[in-house]
Amino acid sequence: MPAMKLSSDEIGRRYGKALFEFAQEQNQEQAILEELQALTEIYRQVPDLGAVLTDARLSTIEKQKILTTLTNSASKIMQNFLKLAFEYRRLNAIPEITAAYEKLYDESTGTYDATITSAVKLNSQQVENLKKALTKRISAKAINITMKIDPSIIGGVIVQVGSQIIDGSIATRIRGINRVLLND
């Protein structure tokens, strides 16, 4: 029976978790996070880098030269991790590995990313009040907020933290009222 091919997200979760657990043992979570983020930025600047280091375009020796350049200033932990990822042809999943690592790091530090969607631009005091209420509601130590404006929600706000959504938009309330009226 052939081996099942893993998705990039699943590879990211597995490798990100393994790297995070090892970094925790070494008390290097923050340092490794910063190295991963720097590497992911290189991947953003050179979108084909992961594929080049994984597929058959270049010889193994050429790929190793690129990897050596990438890891010259990296910590020993990161150098070993990238060599392992190279051997298992997983360097194309660095962005997914970074995302999984960041999620585990945020959970361990009580930091969460939230997206707040409103119909109009909120002032700084309104954003701060939402941030405080949200911090208390989800028992977070810190929250990073991204604001979005969507006039179609009419009013109120929609808050998303991970997979949790708190929908306090007027548009949703109107749809709810319509359903009640149409079902009676």
Side-chain angles (χ1 to χ4, degrees), residues 33-83:
L33 173 66
E34 290 169 6
E35 287 187 272
L36 276 174
Q37 289 171 332
L39 184 60
T40 299
E41 185 54 37
I42 293 169
Y43 272 61
R44 278 192 196 102
Q45 292 171 9
V46 186
D48 220 20
L49 182 61
V52 167
L53 290 170
T54 307
D55 65 24
R57 275 182 258 185
L58 300 176
S59 71
T60 302
I61 292 169
E62 292 170 311
K63 290 177 193 177
Q64 286 174 330
K65 285 180 185 175
I66 294 171
L67 184 61
T68 300
T69 302
L70 284 174
T71 61
N72 269 345
S73 61
S75 68
K76 197 72 175 157
I77 293 171
M78 187 56 72
Q79 287 177 2
N80 290 337
F81 176 76
L82 291 174
K83 285 177 189 168

Side-chain angles (χ1 to χ4, degrees), residues 20-33:
F20 182 75
E21 288 173 352
F22 186 75
Q24 268 187 319
E25 290 172 13
Q26 306 299 313
N27 292 320
Q28 293 294 313
E29 304 97 321
Q30 176 72 35
I32 297 301
L33 173 66

Side-chain angles (χ1 to χ4, degrees), residues 17-151:
K17 182 178 184 211
L19 181 58
F20 182 75
E21 288 173 352
F22 186 75
Q24 268 187 319
E25 290 172 13
Q26 306 299 313
N27 292 320
Q28 293 294 313
E29 304 97 321
Q30 176 72 35
I32 297 301
L33 173 66
E34 290 169 6
E35 287 187 272
L36 276 174
Q37 289 171 332
L39 184 60
T40 299
E41 185 54 37
I42 293 169
Y43 272 61
R44 278 192 196 102
Q45 292 171 9
V46 186
D48 220 20
L49 182 61
V52 167
L53 290 170
T54 307
D55 65 24
R57 275 182 258 185
L58 300 176
S59 71
T60 302
I61 292 169
E62 292 170 311
K63 290 177 193 177
Q64 286 174 330
K65 285 180 185 175
I66 294 171
L67 184 61
T68 300
T69 302
L70 284 174
T71 61
N72 269 345
S73 61
S75 68
K76 197 72 175 157
I77 293 171
M78 187 56 72
Q79 287 177 2
N80 290 337
F81 176 76
L82 291 174
K83 285 177 189 168
L84 180 75
F86 175 74
E87 288 173 20
Y88 285 93
R89 300 172 51 111
R90 300 297 195 209
L91 287 174
N92 59 336
I94 290 297
E96 291 85 356
I97 292 167
T98 302
Y101 187 99
E102 285 174 336
K103 184 174 187 245
L104 291 167
Y105 181 84
D106 288 347
E107 288 171 1
S108 77
T109 60
T111 303
Y112 295 89
D113 292 325
T115 302
I116 298 176
T117 305
S118 61
V120 295
K121 185 174 180 359
L122 301 179
N123 66 41
S124 59
Q125 187 59 52
Q126 290 169 318
V127 172
E128 192 57 36
N129 290 343
L130 277 169
K131 188 175 183 177
K132 283 179 185 174
L134 195 54
T135 300
K136 187 175 180 181
R137 181 170 180 163
I138 63 172
S139 302
K141 290 181 183 161
I143 294 183
N144 302 317
I145 292 185
T146 302
M147 295 298 303
K148 288 186 178 176
I149 296 174
D150 180 359

